[in-house]
Amino acid sequence: MDELDVTVGVTGMNATDNPAPGVGVARSLRHAREFAGRVIGLGYDTLDPGFYAEGLLDGGAILPYPSAGREALRDRLHWVRAEMGVDVLIPTLDSELRAVLAIVGDLEQVGTRTFLPSLESLERASKAQLPRLAESGRIVIPPSEPVLTADAIPKLGSRFGYPLVVKGVYYGATVAHNEADAIAAYHRYAAQWGLPVVVQKFIPGEEYNVAALGDGRGNLAGAVAMRKTMVTDKGKGWCGVAIENERLTEITAQVVGHLSWRGPLEVEILKDAQSNDYYVIEINPRFPAWIYLSAGAGLNLPYLLLLLALGLPLPHPLPRYRPGTMFVRISLDQISDLATYEQLSTSGALRPSRKEGS
Amino acid sequence: MAIQAAHLRELALSDSGFVFDPSTGHTFTVNPSGLDILRWLKDGAEPEEIAQRLADQFELEPGEDPARDVQDFLMQLRECGFIK
């Protein structure tokens, strides 16, 4: 099999207790036997742990925060392309996607490819727009309302009953057991992520997560389903197991088809404990932090994404993944000398080492 | 009594009695006789037949009723959603 010698920029190196997916994506690329290229880590902080992971990256760069504006991001990514030869960019954070989408044309002009959803698909999949998406009848969600003021909470509390779920527009969800908790959660998410805040009926049941890839023509290019077997106090999966459940794949394919989704996504699905009905509770426009499970279980979704971004055909048939494959996250103290920190602090970049023969 | 055991047939059974449900990710453990019952059910055996096999295979203490044990086990499987 031909080796793929390309340079891939991956954002989201902040692998903390609320980890971004970047380290998982980078590890997945490294895991692919066919991948003989380089991985450039992109982050927002000199202390993002991924920069210090031994053997993970060939180079790295600090990006400007989204608040610095799209021009600043474009200029920085052009610089990364010029200095490190990034052929494909894989953004992994919800909060940076719109900015990247706005400059996709500029990136392609200098030779940096992406494989991302359209802005329209992204908006339609957002938490705030999910109720409208469900109106199509093809995607079933729990009763939900995006709200712009805390004054709306009491009425929704009466309508949905307590507990109910309060969600930030980008991240976070709180199960509120009374009006005071719901209002406090509203203010917390409004301050942290902006408006709207989404209020959703609480449905007791079991949650499943599906990491997937859409080909942009309405087809599911691959999917791996998982159930979290241990979560942190922030609700983040700390352990999980790959599962095989036709219903989850069907629902994910419906979401991808309905949105003509292009690129990675994660669909969070709830199975009602009483009725056994399935509900889509969230669509995340990126791979999840646990994405390395897909590579470990035998269906390496980040590598498939890379093929799609390069316009290369996917393997046919796709490999089947192994249900029962588990991930168990671990906290490790990485040891580093000052050189990495020094480089990132003084120049904002980790220079890739030259490849043999280049 | 016919048992609808489509879901049960998907279960991955290990010789140790460790059971994995690939559609939900749940795991549980069963004792050797429970493991035998699961295997027989997967093969389509009926409860009466299973009770007879248990009686043949294990030495029963006075007062033990394999038919009742099988029904108890089936009830647990029903509660877990493996059979209807």
Side-chain angles (χ1 to χ4, degrees):
Chain A
M1 190 173 289
D2 291 343
E3 289 192 331
L4 201 54
D5 187 4
V6 292
T7 301
V8 186
V10 180
T11 72
M13 290 293 122
N14 52 326
T16 57
D17 61 341
N18 182 6
V23 167
V25 169
R27 284 188 78 203
S28 299
L29 295 175
R30 289 261 178 253
H31 187 89
R33 273 180 302 170
E34 302 87 347
F35 182 75
R38 295 186 301 179
V39 181
I40 305 298
L42 303 167
Y44 295 90
D45 194 295
T46 51
L47 283 174
D48 279 354
F51 288 131
Y52 300 85
E54 206 176 322
L56 183 71
L57 304 177
D58 298 288
I62 302 292
L63 298 179
Y65 280 111
S67 57
R70 287 163 185 182
E71 290 73 20
L73 178 65
R74 182 194 59 207
D75 292 348
R76 184 59 171 166
L77 288 173
H78 281 356
W79 182 89
V80 171
R81 162 72 188 170
E83 294 293 317
M84 304 184 186
V86 168
D87 302 298
V88 174
L89 174 70
I90 304 180
T92 69
L93 306 179
D94 306 43
S95 52
E96 67 193 5
L97 259 184
R98 282 169 179 75
V100 174
L101 280 177
I103 61 169
V104 155
D106 296 325
L107 295 176
E108 282 180 1
Q109 272 190 349
V110 298
T112 304
R113 298 180 187 211
T114 56
F115 198 79
L116 297 170
S118 65
L119 187 59
E120 187 205 347
S121 300
L122 185 67
E123 295 294 350
R124 291 177 69 203
S126 68
K127 285 186 198 178
Q129 295 296 321
L130 217 48
R132 285 187 61 190
L133 190 66
E135 285 169 12
S136 70
R138 275 182 272 181
I139 293 163
V140 182
I141 68 165
S144 306
E145 283 280 340
V147 298
L148 299 166
T149 162
D151 295 343
I153 303 269
K155 197 188 275 185
L156 289 172
S158 306
R159 200 167 113 203
F160 296 154
Y162 288 95
L164 49 72
V165 185
V166 183
K167 295 180 162 185
V169 70
Y170 287 126
Y171 299 104
T174 297
V175 177
H177 291 269
N178 53 51
E179 189 177 305
D181 285 352
I183 290 172
Y186 169 90
H187 287 299
R188 195 167 61 248
Y189 289 129
Q192 200 169 4
W193 299 114
L195 295 172
V197 169
V198 177
V199 178
Q200 194 169 74
K201 181 180 170 69
F202 175 80
I203 294 178
E206 195 157 74
E207 186 183 321
Y208 303 100
N209 302 69
V210 185
L213 193 53
D215 70 357
R217 297 191 298 271
N219 305 308
L220 189 63
V224 174
M226 181 275 289
R227 185 176 70 82
K228 294 173 185 171
T229 51
M230 185 193 282
V231 294
T232 66
D233 56 357
K234 291 181 179 172
K236 303 295 160 188
W238 198 256
C239 307
V241 61
I243 60 173
E244 190 170 43
N245 179 320
E246 272 179 30
R247 197 69 194 99
L248 299 177
T249 311
E250 280 169 17
I251 291 168
T252 305
Q254 281 166 355
V255 169
V256 165
H258 194 55
L259 294 170
S260 294
W261 193 264
R262 187 172 185 267
L265 75 161
E266 180 194 26
V267 184
E268 297 182 8
I269 298 169
L270 184 80
K271 184 182 178 189
D272 188 323
Q274 283 165 347
S275 68
N276 287 334
D277 290 334
Y278 288 81
Y279 295 91
V280 171
I281 50 174
E282 217 162 291
I283 301 169
N284 295 315
R286 39 123 186 111
F287 283 135
W290 54 268
I291 192 62
Y292 184 64
L293 179 69
S294 77
L299 183 59
N300 191 332
L301 294 176
Y303 182 68
L304 297 185
L305 170 65
L306 179 60
L307 295 179
L308 288 171
L310 292 167
L312 296 172
L314 299 183
H316 184 75
L318 281 180
R320 286 177 68 88
Y321 69 90
R322 295 177 296 277
T325 308
M326 295 175 63
F327 77 86
V328 181
R329 207 164 269 170
I330 186 170
S331 293
L332 284 174
D333 296 343
Q334 302 183 114
I335 300 300
S336 172
D337 57 28
L338 271 175
T340 301
Y341 184 57
E342 177 192 341
Q343 277 193 64
L344 286 168
S345 302
T346 55
S347 69
L350 289 172
R351 299 287 174 165
S353 53
R354 291 179 69 84
K355 295 188 76 171
E356 274 181 42
S358 63
Chain B
M1 179 187 73
I3 293 172
Q4 292 178 35
H7 188 171
L8 189 129
R9 287 194 193 94
E10 295 170 2
L11 295 180
L13 308 182
S14 157
D15 288 343
S16 66
F18 187 78
V19 181
F20 173 63
D21 179 353
S23 70
T24 65
H26 286 292
T27 58
F28 52 99
T29 53
V30 292
N31 63 15
S33 49
L35 184 61
D36 282 337
I37 296 174
L38 284 177
R39 284 185 168 140
W40 294 331
L41 284 169
K42 282 182 82 167
D43 290 342
E46 297 294 329
E48 300 75 19
E49 193 182 347
I50 291 170
Q52 186 57 53
R53 287 189 197 178
L54 284 176
D56 293 345
Q57 192 162 313
F58 297 98
E59 277 186 27
L60 300 179
E61 300 288 331
E64 272 192 308
D65 178 2
R68 196 180 61 216
D69 291 346
V70 170
Q71 288 307 327
D72 287 348
F73 192 70
L74 291 177
M75 192 178 294
Q76 288 183 49
L77 292 179
R78 233 171 247 121
E79 282 170 5
C80 294
F82 295 128
I83 58 172
K84 288 181 181 171

